[in-house]
Amino acid sequence: MLAVNYTTLRDNMKTYMDKITDDYETMIVTRKDNKNVVMLSEESYNNMMENIYVMGNKSNYDWLMESKTQLENGMVSTHDLPEVEADE
C-alpha cells in the first residue's frame, strides 16, 4: 500500500494512477485533519464489491466453503469440453 500527500499526488497524478492500475496498488492520499482518501483501480474496486456480495450471502458462502473443502480433499474431476464451431 502506498501513501502520498495530496500535493505530491496532484503533481504526479498520471504516474500514481498508472501505478494503481498497472500494479494493483492501493494508495492512501493523506490530507489535513486526517481526512484521508483511499484510491484503488476500478478493477480492484469491482472485485472487492463482488467479494463482499458473494461472502455476504450465507448460501453462497457455505457453497464456496464446501467446494473449497472438496478441492483441498482431492474430490475433483476433470472433463474434456466439446469443440464448438464459431458460427454456433
Side-chain angles (χ1 to χ4, degrees), residues 29 41 61:
V29 182
S41 70
Y61 180 82

Side-chain angles (χ1 to χ4, degrees), residues 21-65:
T21 56
D22 296 344
D23 300 339
Y24 301 99
E25 283 284 353
T26 302
M27 181 186 312
I28 297 173
V29 182
T30 57
R31 300 171 64 211
K32 287 182 184 178
D33 301 323
N34 212 23
K35 292 185 177 186
N36 301 338
V37 174
V38 175
M39 287 181 63
L40 64 155
S41 70
E42 180 181 20
E43 184 178 356
S44 294
Y45 172 80
N46 289 338
N47 187 323
M48 182 177 65
M49 296 309 291
E50 181 177 353
N51 284 330
I52 289 169
Y53 173 77
V54 169
M55 299 306 240
N57 179 306
K58 179 145 175 49
S59 297
N60 283 342
Y61 180 82
D62 291 344
W63 180 78
L64 285 171
M65 292 304 105

